[in-house]
Amino acid sequence: MSDDKRYDEWTDGPELDRDDPRRRAASEEAEVQARNEDADTLRERQRLAQLEMMDRWIGGVLVEQRRSRRWKLFFRFLFAVLILSLLATSLYSLFFAGMTPSPIGPHLGVVRVEGVIDGESEASAERINKGLQRAWENDETQAVVLQINSPGGSPVQSQRIFDEIRRLRQTGDKPILAVIEDIGASGAYYVAAGADDIYAAPASLVGSIGVIYSGFGLQGAIERLGIERRVFTAGENKAFLDPFSDIAPDQRQFWQQVLETTHQQFIDDVKTGRGERLGDDPKLFSGLIWTGEQATELGLIDGLKSLDQLARERLGEARTRDYTPALDPFERLSRQFGRVAAEWLGVPQTASPLRYELP
């Protein structure tokens, strides 16, 4: 029977001394193989890590692209809805809202004066006067009513509305009335003074017959900051309202005369509109503002009534029709954008610095 054991040089071979060159060569060869195996393993791990990182990056890019596409679609849809809404509103205001309403029987024709009275606002003289004319020309309108809720505004715009009310009153016997809601002050009261009668709620704010100009004196501030103001003018008083320059005593006196002249125009027209109904209180034209109840005692208004009460009193029921012209949304948006842009850029406004308005 033969021996089936295989020959193993490590166990069956001759025992080598530790310093034998053959033993050292075998040891070095084993170390090289181990290092080679470790390097291959490391390279494989690095390759796998890079592949995993690449997969994650590609996945992130795809997710971001999908998210970006969704936001693009959302904003495109929102923009389309906005454009369609503006177009629909414009078509409505152009073809329907601007039309004179058909008669509904005897009624009160209402024209709303809301917000600051200004050439670029909703309460401009052009818009209010157009509404007054439309209400006046309808034969079913028993009276034209100015529904006022305004702190005042431009002297020129207020004067234009006042003059149109007076002109219409002289062309027929249809009454023009004013109803003050929360507030009818300064230029808004100027407008109301042109009506035949003025009514308000007991807690309404009425009056403020005065003129105001406000600004800032910043010359000391720029001096402390080391800023030099450079203004070139032709005319020694051209820049006397510049907030970064001093106002000389004669300039201050001149500007006060301008305010007083404008104030006197206000007073004269109020006296013309109200006549002998005005009281003789010396504070009437001092710029003070009163409640509706106090204003009745001073002769600034004729009674304490709301629009509905006025309609029921004259018609037996609250039947009114709004004749205020509708606003073109594109024009309104462009005006607001232009005003905001001018404020940010510091572009001078065309409105007068004098105001019949509460501060």
Side-chain angles (χ1 to χ4, degrees):
M1 187 172 171
S2 62
D3 189 2
D4 194 28
K5 294 183 179 179
R6 295 182 179 179
Y7 177 79
D8 187 348
E9 63 178 353
W10 295 99
T11 58
D12 299 334
E15 184 177 354
L16 299 177
D17 186 74
R18 181 173 298 178
D19 296 329
D20 191 283
R22 288 179 296 173
R23 184 167 184 169
R24 288 200 302 271
S27 177
E28 290 175 358
E29 182 179 356
E31 291 178 1
V32 169
Q33 290 179 354
R35 283 198 299 271
N36 290 338
E37 289 179 359
D38 292 342
D40 292 340
T41 303
L42 180 60
R43 282 195 296 270
E44 182 65 19
R45 288 179 179 176
Q46 290 177 343
R47 187 179 68 84
L48 292 175
Q50 289 173 353
L51 290 175
E52 184 179 359
M53 185 181 300
M54 183 66 69
D55 289 340
R56 291 180 181 176
W57 179 78
I58 293 174
V61 170
L62 293 176
V63 170
E64 187 64 30
Q65 287 179 346
R66 286 194 292 268
R67 185 183 294 117
S68 178
R69 282 197 298 269
R70 285 196 295 267
W71 278 112
K72 284 181 180 178
L73 290 174
F74 171 75
F75 283 115
R76 287 175 182 173
F77 175 76
L78 185 64
F79 182 73
V81 170
L82 179 61
I83 292 297
L84 291 175
S85 301
L86 289 175
L87 182 60
T89 307
S90 299
L91 291 174
Y92 174 79
S93 63
L94 182 62
F95 294 104
F96 299 101
M99 297 172 60
T100 301
S102 58
I104 59 172
H107 61 276
L108 299 186
V110 178
V111 180
R112 290 177 285 105
V113 182
E114 296 180 336
V116 176
I117 300 173
D118 191 86
E120 298 297 324
S121 71
E122 297 182 14
S124 65
E126 180 180 1
R127 183 167 179 257
I128 301 304
N129 289 348
K130 186 181 294 184
L132 288 170
Q133 294 163 9
R134 288 171 53 191
W136 182 267
E137 292 168 358
N138 194 326
D139 295 333
E140 297 291 336
T141 303
Q142 301 301 299
V144 179
V145 181
L146 285 158
Q147 188 177 21
I148 298 173
N149 192 13
S150 168
S154 163
V156 174
Q157 298 293 309
S158 302
Q159 290 170 348
R160 286 181 57 190
I161 301 172
F162 176 89
D163 291 341
E164 179 62 17
I165 295 171
R166 299 289 295 175
R167 185 190 71 81
L168 291 174
R169 286 178 57 185
Q170 293 172 3
T171 60
D173 57 357
K174 188 180 295 186
I176 298 180
L177 311 173
V179 176
I180 296 173
E181 297 289 336
D182 293 294
I183 184 170
S186 206
Y189 183 77
Y190 197 136
V191 170
D196 292 284
D197 295 308
I198 306 174
Y199 300 97
S204 298
L205 295 178
V206 181
S208 186
I209 302 174
V211 187
I212 186 172
Y213 166 78
S214 60
F216 296 94
L218 303 175
Q219 64 274 14
I222 64 173
E223 289 175 1
R224 285 194 293 271
L225 293 173
I227 300 173
E228 179 186 357
R229 174 70 167 167
R230 296 175 180 175
V231 180
F232 303 95
T233 64
E236 59 182 359
N237 294 311
K238 183 63 178 176
F240 79 97
L241 291 179
D242 177 55
F244 299 99
S245 305
D246 291 323
I247 298 180
D250 58 333
Q251 293 173 336
R252 188 181 298 274
Q253 182 180 2
F254 166 78
W255 190 236
Q256 187 61 41
Q257 291 175 352
V258 172
L259 294 174
E260 291 174 357
T261 300
T262 311
H263 187 205
Q264 190 60 49
Q265 294 171 2
F266 194 169
I267 295 172
D268 292 343
D269 282 341
V270 169
K271 287 182 176 179
T272 299
R274 298 298 296 164
E276 296 180 354
R277 291 174 289 183
L278 275 178
D280 56 359
D281 192 316
K283 296 181 179 179
L284 264 179
F285 306 114
S286 67
L288 289 176
I289 190 167
W290 291 274
T291 66
E293 188 173 356
Q294 293 171 318
T296 305
E297 299 174 358
L298 294 169
L300 291 171
I301 64 175
D302 298 287
L304 301 175
K305 296 178 184 178
S306 66
L307 178 60
D308 289 341
Q309 290 173 330
L310 196 61
R312 292 191 184 97
E313 182 181 283
R314 289 180 171 266
L315 304 173
E317 59 179 311
R319 192 162 57 245
T320 63
R321 174 62 64 88
D322 189 354
Y323 286 85
T324 313
L327 289 172
D328 183 350
F330 284 114
E331 181 181 0
R332 182 177 182 180
L333 183 63
S334 63
R335 283 184 177 183
Q336 292 295 333
F337 178 78
R339 177 175 296 182
V340 171
E343 291 178 356
W344 274 96
L345 296 174
V347 178
Q349 300 293 300
T350 57
S352 169
L354 298 181
R355 310 295 286 177
Y356 293 154
E357 186 176 358
L358 286 178

